[in-house]
Amino acid sequence: MMPGMVRTLRIEGFSATGQPLSTSTTKFGGQPVWLAGPQWPISAAWDRPMRFVGQIELGPVLGAAGHGKVAYVFVTHADHGEDFFDPDIIDPDGGENAVIVQPGGDHAGPVRPLATGPGLYDADGSEVEFTVDLRLADEPGSMTDEELAALSCADRDRYVELIDGDKIGGKPLFFQGDAWPDGGPWRLLLQLDSNWVPFHLNLGASPRLFAFVSEDGAHGRLVVQDS
C-alpha cells in the first residue's frame, strides 16, 4: 500500500527572464534578491565567494512557517573555462555549499556582505537567469527500505516514478542510501538533476542535488549524490 500523498511542485521547464529580476520569486541564476542584508557564503577551503545557484520561495514548501521567506542556494564552483572542482561540494558539512534563509535564518559558515557575486552561466560562459515553469502535483510520502521492499514490483516502480525528477518540495528520491542531513527535522526544498538543465552546473559525473530547509524555516542544508 502506498503512503499518504503530499504536495510538490514539479519543474516542467525553465524560461529565460531576458532581464534581471528584482523580486523574491523562485528563479535560477542571475543575482540573489536579498530580503535582508546580503549574506554571501564563502568557500571554507578556498576563501572565494560561492556561486549563486538560485532562490526559492519557502511558502509552498513550509506553508505558514515559510511565508515571506526565501532560501538562497550556493555551491563552490569554477568560473567559465577554469579547471577547478572541489569534491567537498557533495557534503552538507564540507564548507563548499550553502542554503541561506532570509529573513531570520542562520548559517554556520563564513559569509560576507556582498550584494552580488558569481552566478550561473551557460555553455558559452554567458550569464543566465531563468524562472521555472511549475506544476502542482501529488506524490506519495516517504517509505522505509522495508516498506519499499514489501511492495510489488509494479507498485515499487510506480512509487519511484512518482517521486523522481526535478521538483520543489515533496519527498527526495535518494539513490545512494539515506542522505538526510544531521539535525532537522527537514523538508525537501529542491531536487535537481543538474546535468539536464539549461545552465552549466558541475556537481560531479552524474549528480543529483538535494537542498533541504528546516521545518521552522530557520536554516537549510545541501547534499549531492553522484553515481
Side-chain angles (χ1 to χ4, degrees):
M1 178 180 296
M2 291 281 189
M5 306 300 280
V6 297
R7 286 294 175 93
T8 186
L9 291 170
R10 313 294 304 186
I11 298 177
E12 300 284 282
F14 300 84
S15 298
T17 61
Q19 60 183 7
L21 295 179
S22 59
T23 64
S24 58
T25 187
T26 295
K27 67 171 186 172
F28 289 85
Q31 294 293 319
V33 181
W34 301 103
L35 294 183
Q39 295 175 275
W40 204 289
I42 305 301
S43 162
W46 305 96
D47 193 36
R48 57 192 281 175
M50 295 185 193
R51 190 162 301 275
F52 175 61
V53 175
Q55 64 188 36
I56 299 174
E57 296 175 280
L58 291 186
V61 178
L62 295 178
H67 181 68
K69 293 188 175 184
V70 169
Y72 306 85
V73 178
F74 297 84
V75 296
T76 296
H77 194 283
D79 293 331
H80 178 64
E82 181 184 22
D83 184 16
F84 170 80
F85 180 80
D86 192 314
D88 286 340
I89 197 175
I90 70 172
D91 185 356
D93 302 308
E96 304 306 331
N97 62 56
V99 178
I100 306 287
V101 177
Q102 288 192 351
D106 55 21
H107 176 61
V111 297
R112 293 177 187 162
L114 305 175
T116 62
L120 292 179
Y121 52 85
D122 62 16
D124 297 325
S126 299
E127 295 182 0
V128 292
E129 183 178 45
F130 298 92
T131 56
V132 283
D133 307 321
L134 300 172
R135 175 177 59 85
L136 186 64
D138 291 321
E139 64 181 31
S142 296
M143 299 186 73
T144 65
D145 290 342
E146 293 77 13
E147 290 171 333
L148 194 58
L151 295 176
S152 68
C153 289
D155 283 345
R156 191 180 309 124
D157 290 346
R158 179 61 176 159
Y159 175 78
V160 170
E161 179 184 355
L162 286 171
I163 68 171
D164 198 3
D166 297 341
K167 60 186 180 179
I168 292 170
K171 297 298 178 181
L173 179 58
F174 299 126
F175 59 89
Q176 291 180 332
D178 184 346
W180 290 98
D182 293 336
W186 302 102
R187 295 278 188 92
L188 179 70
L189 174 67
L190 173 66
Q191 178 171 289
L192 187 71
D193 289 316
S194 61
N195 283 2
W196 309 106
V197 292
F199 43 82
H200 179 71
L201 184 58
N202 181 18
L203 303 179
S206 184
R208 173 167 282 187
L209 178 153
F210 303 92
F212 302 92
V213 64
S214 59
E215 290 190 349
D216 61 1
H219 52 280
R221 306 291 288 280
L222 188 146
V223 174
V224 175
Q225 291 191 326
D226 187 20
S227 59

